[in-house]
Amino acid sequence: MSEMFRAKIDIELTVNGEAVEGSVPAGQHLIDFLRLECGLTGAHASCEHGVCGACTVRVDGIAVRGCLMLAAQADGAEIWTVEGLSETAAIKDLQEAFVARNALQCGFCTPGMLVAAEELLAGGGVPSRAEIREHLSGNYCRCTGYEAIVDAVESVARTRAGRGAA
Amino acid sequence: MTIPFGNPDRPNSYIGKTVPRPNAAKLVEGRGRYVDDIVLPRMVHVAFVRSHFAHARIAGIDTAAAREVRGVLRVFTGAELAEVCTPWVAVLAHLKGLKSPPEHALAVDRACWVGEPVAAVVATSRAAAEDGAALVELDLEPLPVVTDMMSALDPATPVLHEALGDNLAFRREHVEGDPDAVFASAHKVVSAKFVTARHTGVTLEPRSILVDWNPADRQMTAYHATQAPHMIQAVLAQHLDLPESRVRVICGDVGGSYGIKVHVYPDEVATAAIAKIMGRPVKFVADRLESFTTDIHARDHEIEARLAVDADGKILAMDVDDWTAIGAYSVYPRTSAIEGNQVVNLCGGPYDFAHYRARTTVVFQNKTPTCQYRAVGHPIAVAITEGLVDLAAAELGIDPVEIRRRNMFRDDAYPVTSPAKMRFEGLSHHASMDRLMALMDYDALRADQAAARARGVHRGIGIASFIELTNPSPFMYGIGGARISAQDGCTVRMDPDGSIVALSGVTEQGQGTEAMLSQIVAEGVGVSPSNVRVVTGDTQVTPYGGGTWASRGAGIGGEAALRSARALRGAILEVAAAMLQADQASLDIRDGAVVDADTGAERMPLEELGRIVYFRGDTLPQGLPRELVQTRHFITTEYPFAFTNGVQASYLEVDTETGVVTLLKHWCVEDCGRIINPQLVDEQIRGGIVQGLGGALFEEIHYDADGQLLNGSMADYLVPMAAEMPDMVIGHVETPTKESELGAKGAGEAGTAGAPAVVMNAINDALRPLAARVTHMPFTPERILRALGKIED
């Protein structure tokens, strides 16, 4: 059976705004393709069950588990990872808020957490703390106890809403 | 010169301020470098074949099919690795009677728990190694298993390790005073059975190691997600027959540790052995099932305990019978007897009483080995103590806060020695309780609770005082014979551009070590923290040290950093005095420049001093010392440990129909001595609380009677998620230790130490009108409904 997983499939996709081509094993997960083939080590494989969210990346505008999606399924997709979101300064305010509030300790969950948080923030408005907690409940953090993360996301939502109103 | 910490307007006042972490910006950009991010030329991957039985004789291993897999290079068995890697025995001399059998990197004759590594498959990719591992055929003959803790010593129970004679790994009993006589005559005796579940740390980054053996240099380099690089250096050298000087352990970014990554794991040693055999880099990263079956477990205890009190609620005596089952081996080199030992040492910790007996019984069983995990033993000891104190308060009709105030050591009583023979230099139980009462507005909360009860809503308030062991001396491990350093060092140097580099033996696991060190060094030298670069986690580069465990980084590593920084300041000023023809005592360094101490007027920027020293040393007086590199080490000597204290409170609601507990709010006041970075301390405590809340409400490793682990995924082993966690109010009292100029004690365990007990007490406070009580963690809806009599089958 493992030979079937090794069969190569050609894919073309956009990763962080750059065109990428690959010939990937059928069984390769998106997170492994991004880490091993693209050198994008920001998002991490952790639970490998789609539970913890450390592998979260943006696929066609949606926060997706990189460990639950095959690379072959990403043919034609537009993918953004923390590296691309950093280089384009798309989430600079969120990243600065995480640093200022110490909303990360070991940083292993952070790239996925940021993608998930940005998905919520992109919806606009100022979500309640309960809504922030609910939205991030698919992204585990073992270090912070979450409160600092909720604070950081809440502060960015308020700032963005204020800017939009002004 | 003593730093006037009390004056916030002092020059270079970085100690005590919230300063951003220098390494946080890279982590939010995904630019961290964890072990799995490292790729070396000719690197190969190893996957392990593990025992699927809890206890089995290894009758044969057929590797033929695995070797046929494309990409598979080698397959190793235990016997092959044993030729290059010696086994270890995890005992310590000061834990008298502790025994454990020799343990190999790969099991040789017998596998003793589900997940024990038996064979290793090396391939050009991780995927190929896993494909190969799936085709290795283990011929395992099942042997009788020991899984139940309390019957492990019964004559009818099979002996797990025949050579040891029985299943007892360790037993210690401590008796102070005459507890039996006091219990016989006391006004009131309360008792309870407590159970704390088997946990594991669930670091989001799995255990990871990449080992490169360069036979030409005779140098082994291990890139390792670890808390103790120098300890790992010593262990790899000893068991792979290398000089310590030829083993370099590099610890870059680590994705969570909490004690999980301070131990020696057979598969990691096997990875190093394979690298030595193959002469090329070998990477091992555990997958999540391997994390659950092979990361150390902890906290698997059953305890019967009693408390004797007089009519006023004064504690007279405490009696604790603690049992814990540690799996198949004591874990190397810190051993698996420490947790039970800590329970004996820590029970009753906050309270002034005279008669004490505590016994811990540590037994072997066919499960994953247990060892030190964050707040080792504390959550257990605090749950026992605070559970009993609340029970006594309820029986006597005394408010839970009041009974604690009547029994806690007075704040002016120190130094004192506890009934467990722990020595306290200075604690602040009463000041901390006062601060907690103010923060939580206790009386208003009681009124809210009463109003809720009138509506049929069951809310509870829990209180738990505790002590926390930090800043360990060699009394923790060194005196037992382990090469685990309790001292730590720091080298601070000034480079030609006036910038400062600090190299420290303590490590960064995400708690903010490098920020803390940069603040201390900045203040000690007289520069901005942004002008201090900190280097940690490289045994070939940093001074020898212990790393990160038992909340020692700030107290011990921080003091070494302060002393080396002050020494560098002196060395710089000696050169400056010669250059400026001034009295050295009239000069100071502030914000990166030499200034007049009296007026603050700038005399010379440090980069000018650097230019002269490094490029125009000919212009300085002959014989003038110009050592702009200074190293100092620090070890605590007066107390074996620096104890801290704190008190937590929880307000929660119990749904008596569903058994679900909703955490409404949480408070913690703690006293870690001098606070170096308030934000980092608060976040350590918040993170610690949530790990403790996990133990209280969710976390429990399940095994069946055959020793099969039943919940080996994050979908099945529950950890706290954002939605269930409360906001937490953190407060502080500062009682600096007098052992160091810095005065810092540890803060890493406080949150985890008290959280399970305080949730237990809050649930029981909520359930008291219903005559229900829970003491078996985690407090799942099922256990709460059983306590309420709503489930009876």
Side-chain angles (χ1 to χ4, degrees):
Chain A
M1 193 156 83
S2 65
E3 285 304 315
M4 197 168 76
F5 293 143
R6 287 182 173 200
K8 293 289 175 64
I9 294 173
D10 292 335
I11 58 172
E12 291 181 25
L13 62 163
T14 309
V15 180
N16 295 330
E18 297 174 7
V20 173
E21 292 180 14
S23 183
V24 300
Q28 186 170 56
H29 291 99
L30 178 61
I31 185 67
D32 290 331
F33 174 74
L34 293 171
R35 291 179 55 83
L36 300 175
E37 308 305 325
C38 303
L40 296 167
T41 54
H44 299 111
S46 178
C47 78
E48 302 170 88
H49 267 70
V51 177
C52 78
C55 61
T56 306
V57 295
R58 186 191 291 171
V59 180
D60 293 333
I62 300 168
V64 162
R65 301 283 200 243
C67 76
L68 290 187
M69 182 171 176
L70 296 172
Q73 293 174 296
D75 185 37
E78 181 185 341
I79 293 177
W80 287 89
T81 70
V82 72
E83 289 90 344
L85 296 172
S86 300
E87 282 166 16
T88 56
I91 56 168
K92 189 163 188 290
D93 55 348
L94 186 58
Q95 290 167 319
E96 287 173 351
F98 265 57
V99 172
R101 184 58 190 83
N102 200 47
L104 69 152
Q105 290 185 25
C106 79
F108 200 79
C109 73
T110 310
M113 191 73 76
L114 289 167
V115 171
E118 179 61 24
E119 183 183 52
L120 176 67
L121 290 168
V126 180
S128 69
R129 291 179 72 80
E131 286 168 337
I132 295 169
R133 287 183 178 278
E134 190 64 35
H135 187 84
L136 296 179
S137 65
N139 288 74
Y140 287 12
C141 170
R142 277 299 256 181
C143 294
T144 65
Y146 300 108
E147 185 169 332
I149 295 171
V150 176
D151 289 347
V153 174
E154 186 181 35
S155 74
V156 171
R158 286 184 194 286
T159 307
R160 287 192 191 178
R163 202 187 301 136
Chain B
M1 185 174 136
T2 303
I3 296 177
F5 287 107
N7 174 16
D9 298 324
R10 68 189 186 275
N12 311 309
S13 56
Y14 302 113
I15 294 171
K17 294 206 171 142
T18 291
V19 168
R21 287 169 54 200
N23 46 357
K26 74 173 182 190
L27 297 177
V28 298
E29 293 189 11
R31 293 178 187 276
R33 192 168 183 254
Y34 304 87
V35 170
D36 196 28
D37 301 338
I38 302 171
V39 175
L40 297 179
R42 300 185 71 235
M43 185 176 85
V44 293
H45 301 259
V46 60
F48 292 93
V49 184
R50 299 176 182 276
S51 175
H52 44 276
F53 288 120
H55 197 192
R57 194 178 79 79
I58 302 169
I61 302 175
D62 184 349
T63 63
R67 289 175 200 273
E68 295 300 312
V69 172
R70 184 154 45 98
V72 168
L73 303 174
R74 296 278 295 267
V75 182
F76 294 93
T77 63
E80 289 167 89
L81 283 198
E83 290 172 19
V84 299
C85 182
T86 55
W88 50 85
V89 177
V91 297
L92 289 167
H94 65 303
L95 298 171
K96 290 188 175 50
L98 172 61
K99 61 195 188 206
S100 187
E103 182 178 15
H104 287 271
L106 295 180
V108 176
D109 301 317
R110 209 161 48 100
C112 294
W113 83 88
V114 171
E116 182 170 7
V118 175
V121 178
V122 182
T124 52
S125 72
R126 169 68 185 245
E130 288 185 14
D131 286 349
L135 294 176
V136 172
E137 285 194 28
L138 301 183
D139 183 4
L140 299 181
E141 296 173 353
L143 296 167
V145 297
V146 183
T147 53
D148 179 58
M149 179 194 304
M150 301 309 293
S151 62
L153 301 183
D154 292 355
T157 303
V159 174
L160 204 166
H161 301 294
E162 269 180 32
L164 300 183
D166 57 28
N167 290 325
L168 182 68
F170 178 69
R171 180 171 265 162
R172 178 187 161 209
E173 182 172 73
H174 174 82
V175 181
E176 193 69 17
D178 189 356
D180 285 333
V182 175
F183 274 103
S185 63
H187 170 75
K188 190 94 199 168
V189 173
V190 293
S191 65
K193 179 182 178 182
F194 299 91
V195 178
T196 55
R198 194 172 249 263
H199 298 172
T200 187
V202 195
T203 61
L204 281 196
E205 180 204 36
R207 290 188 294 104
S208 311
I209 189 168
L210 165 58
V211 186
D212 186 12
W213 166 246
N214 184 329
D217 286 344
R218 294 202 61 74
Q219 166 95 19
M220 176 171 280
T221 305
Y223 303 86
H224 192 194
T226 180
Q227 298 170 236
H230 282 102
M231 182 195 87
I232 295 296
Q233 174 192 35
V235 166
L236 293 181
Q238 180 184 344
H239 294 283
L240 295 172
D241 192 26
L242 295 167
E244 281 185 14
S245 61
R246 291 295 177 172
V247 178
R248 177 182 187 183
V249 178
I250 296 175
C251 172
D253 292 314
V254 180
S257 296
Y258 330 116
I260 297 302
K261 293 172 182 169
V262 76
H263 308 295
V264 170
Y265 288 94
D267 46 22
E268 296 177 10
V269 179
T271 302
I274 291 167
K276 192 177 177 216
I277 293 169
M278 294 184 69
R280 60 195 292 185
V282 183
K283 181 188 277 185
F284 167 63
V285 179
D287 70 19
R288 191 50 59 179
L289 178 58
E290 288 176 304
S291 300
F292 278 104
T293 57
T294 66
D295 287 8
I296 59 105
H297 295 173
R299 315 243 207 277
D300 196 359
H301 287 242
E302 294 189 25
I303 310 103
E304 300 267 4
R306 310 186 282 163
L307 195 72
V309 289
D310 71 13
D312 296 326
K314 184 83 184 81
I315 297 172
L316 304 174
M318 187 174 187
D319 185 6
V320 177
D321 185 15
D322 170 63
W323 283 66
T324 181
I326 58 165
Y329 293 93
S330 172
V331 174
Y332 192 58
R334 288 166 194 258
T335 82
S336 306
I338 295 284
E339 189 180 69
N341 202 48
Q342 294 273 75
V343 172
V344 173
N345 288 342
L346 298 173
C347 277
Y351 303 116
D352 186 359
F353 65 104
H355 305 277
Y356 180 59
R357 176 169 54 226
R359 187 175 77 157
T360 187
T361 301
V362 179
V363 300
F364 290 112
Q365 57 178 179
N366 292 106
K367 294 183 186 174
T368 300
T370 73
C371 203
Q372 283 74 285
Y373 167 49
R374 191 175 198 171
V376 188
H378 292 69
I380 301 155
V382 179
I384 297 166
T385 306
E386 296 302 272
L388 290 175
V389 167
D390 260 25
L391 209 49
E395 294 265 332
L396 296 171
I398 303 174
D399 181 85
V401 174
E402 176 58 25
I403 195 171
R404 287 176 170 82
R405 283 187 162 139
R406 290 181 192 177
N407 285 287
M408 294 185 300
F409 282 110
R410 294 189 334 268
D411 286 358
D412 62 0
Y414 302 96
V416 294
T417 300
S418 77
K421 284 282 177 276
M422 296 294 107
R423 293 170 56 217
F424 305 142
E425 180 202 44
L427 301 175
S428 61
H429 288 295
H430 291 270
S432 296
M433 184 68 88
D434 292 346
R435 180 106 179 84
L436 177 73
M437 291 299 103
L439 280 177
M440 68 189 290
D441 197 349
Y442 183 72
D443 295 336
L445 218 54
R446 284 286 178 209
D448 181 76
Q449 178 188 31
R453 261 182 203 160
R455 302 193 305 271
V457 172
H458 297 276
R459 293 185 170 174
I461 300 171
I463 303 284
S465 289
F466 57 90
I467 56 170
E468 173 191 357
L469 180 156
T470 76
N471 290 6
S473 74
F475 277 81
M476 192 125 186
Y477 296 113
I479 58 166
R483 290 173 80 82
I484 297 173
S485 171
Q487 66 84 50
D488 226 292
C490 186
T491 294
V492 178
R493 74 168 193 258
M494 192 191 99
D495 284 344
D497 64 352
S499 69
I500 305 298
V501 177
L503 305 101
S504 172
V506 294
T507 52
E508 174 69 89
Q509 322 293 134
Q511 74 275 53
T513 298
E514 295 189 0
M516 173 273 291
L517 291 171
S518 74
Q519 289 174 257
I520 292 170
V521 170
E523 173 139 7
V525 177
V527 300
S528 161
S530 63
N531 218 19
V532 178
R533 282 170 296 143
V534 178
V535 178
T536 62
D538 186 338
T539 58
Q540 195 159 291
V541 171
T542 69
Y544 205 93
T548 295
W549 43 275
S551 289
R552 65 185 297 283
I556 295 174
E559 178 71 6
L562 180 63
R563 292 183 181 191
S564 56
R566 303 294 290 173
L568 176 63
R569 175 183 176 277
I572 292 169
L573 288 178
E574 185 174 13
V575 175
M579 290 173 66
L580 298 169
Q581 299 190 331
D583 177 9
Q584 186 177 329
S586 73
L587 300 174
D588 194 8
I589 307 173
R590 291 175 196 170
D591 201 20
V594 177
V595 300
D596 279 325
D598 287 343
T599 66
E602 179 170 324
R603 299 293 302 275
M604 182 171 51
L606 288 183
E607 53 261 49
E608 174 60 10
L609 186 140
R611 184 183 72 83
I612 297 297
V613 166
Y614 288 108
F615 309 120
R616 290 305 309 273
D618 57 302
T619 64
L620 294 173
Q622 269 191 345
L624 177 74
R626 55 201 70 178
E627 293 294 341
L628 301 190
V629 184
Q630 296 289 330
T631 300
R632 295 293 183 276
H633 292 81
F634 178 67
I635 186 167
T636 55
T637 51
E638 291 173 36
Y639 285 83
F641 314 104
F643 276 94
T644 74
N645 66 279
V647 57
Q648 292 190 24
S650 168
Y651 194 42
L652 54 74
E653 189 171 307
V654 182
D655 184 328
T656 54
E657 296 303 312
T658 64
V660 168
V661 173
T662 302
L663 302 170
L664 301 173
K665 200 154 185 179
H666 202 103
W667 296 262
C668 178
V669 175
E670 66 81 58
D671 182 347
C672 63
R674 178 92 52 222
I675 292 173
I676 297 161
N677 185 320
Q679 184 186 57
L680 292 181
V681 171
D682 285 359
E683 296 315 315
Q684 269 300 293
I685 290 169
R686 286 197 174 92
I689 287 170
V690 167
Q691 281 194 330
L693 294 177
L697 295 177
F698 310 118
E699 298 187 40
E700 181 170 26
I701 294 266
H702 291 280
Y703 281 92
D704 69 11
D706 295 325
Q708 289 290 340
L709 191 149
L710 300 177
N711 55 338
S713 83
M714 280 204 212
D716 299 315
Y717 179 93
L718 305 182
V719 300
M721 296 185 289
E724 287 78 23
M725 290 299 107
D727 282 340
M728 296 161 270
V729 178
I730 312 298
H732 302 281
V733 173
E734 284 189 77
T735 309
T737 173
K738 299 182 187 76
E739 277 229 55
S740 66
E741 187 180 352
L742 187 60
K745 301 185 260 191
E749 333 288 338
T752 309
V758 79
V759 166
M760 177 177 72
N761 284 352
I763 292 172
N764 288 332
D765 186 51
L767 298 184
R768 194 157 292 120
L770 305 171
R773 178 153 62 95
V774 288
T775 53
H776 185 156
M777 295 185 195
F779 305 115
T780 59
E782 181 189 337
R783 289 196 176 113
I784 286 172
L785 292 176
R786 285 189 188 283
L788 287 164
K790 296 191 175 178
I791 303 179
E792 285 174 345
D793 61 326

